[in-house]
Amino acid sequence: LDGETQDDYKARLKVWYREKHPKYRNVHGVHAKKVLYPYDIYGAITTVVLVEGQTSAIRLIDAGIDAMAILGVANWSDTKRGLLNSKGIRNVILLFDGDQAGRTATETLLQSLSTDFSMHALYLPDGVDPGDMDDTWLNFVRRKFMKLAGKKQA
């Protein structure tokens, strides 16, 4: 919106997703173990950042970073591995929430996916998730993504 700062936008987005539309709400009939969000917007890509929730994926996509949400760390499955393989992905960057569940999921997926993909993990500080990270972290993630994807920064 005109005159809205980036901080205002982030605050408005957080309220919309967290208070009015729960962060991990899934469309009726969709099983989180079977989908990556937003899988269908991508053609063949070589590098993706995996995050936990839709809000985080949207934030990264808005910043020019190919990202997909696994829809909660407890929802990883071999079906999702197959979806990543079908896109031609070679590099996976794990960027989960800065909490114990996020760190545990990172370690689990690093081991689980290392046979199929070149794995990279970024660990956020305690209490920070990719949807909340500041511009310093966002720029760091963008540089890592661009390097792995073989893209030049604008």
Side-chain angles (χ1 to χ4, degrees), residues 89-103:
I89 293 169
R90 295 189 309 266
N91 303 301
V92 173
I93 301 170
L94 302 175
L95 183 65
F96 296 140
D97 295 356
D99 58 20
Q100 189 56 48
R103 289 181 186 92

Side-chain angles (χ1 to χ4, degrees), residues 29-50:
V30 173
H31 301 284
K33 289 188 179 285
K34 296 182 180 178
V35 298
L36 293 167
Y37 175 87
Y39 177 81
D40 293 334
I41 69 167
Y42 296 108
I45 56 176
T46 62
T47 304
V48 69
V49 178
L50 292 183

Side-chain angles (χ1 to χ4, degrees), residues 79-147:
T79 300
K80 291 180 182 184
R81 174 199 312 264
L83 291 172
L84 293 177
N85 274 321
S86 73
K87 291 289 182 187
I89 293 169
R90 295 189 309 266
N91 303 301
V92 173
I93 301 170
L94 302 175
L95 183 65
F96 296 140
D97 295 356
D99 58 20
Q100 189 56 48
R103 289 181 186 92
T104 300
T106 298
E107 296 307 315
T108 300
L109 266 66
L110 277 172
Q111 292 177 359
S112 171
L113 298 176
S114 64
T115 57
D116 294 338
F117 308 98
S118 174
M119 298 299 298
H120 309 270
L122 301 175
Y123 295 89
L124 291 172
D126 289 344
V128 176
D129 71 40
D132 295 336
M133 61 187 172
D134 63 23
D135 288 340
T136 301
W137 267 101
L138 184 61
N139 289 330
F140 175 75
V141 173
R142 185 184 294 113
R143 284 191 304 274
K144 179 79 168 174
F145 168 78
M146 294 295 196
K147 182 178 179 182

Side-chain angles (χ1 to χ4, degrees), residues 16-32 35 37 52-55 58 69-72 75:
W16 192 88
Y17 274 102
R18 290 191 176 155
E19 294 175 15
K20 297 180 182 175
H21 299 58
K23 187 173 180 180
Y24 295 107
R25 172 186 274 170
N26 291 312
V27 177
H28 179 71
V30 173
H31 301 284
V35 298
Y37 175 87
E52 292 181 44
Q54 301 98 311
T55 305
I58 291 167
I70 66 171
L71 304 175
N75 285 316

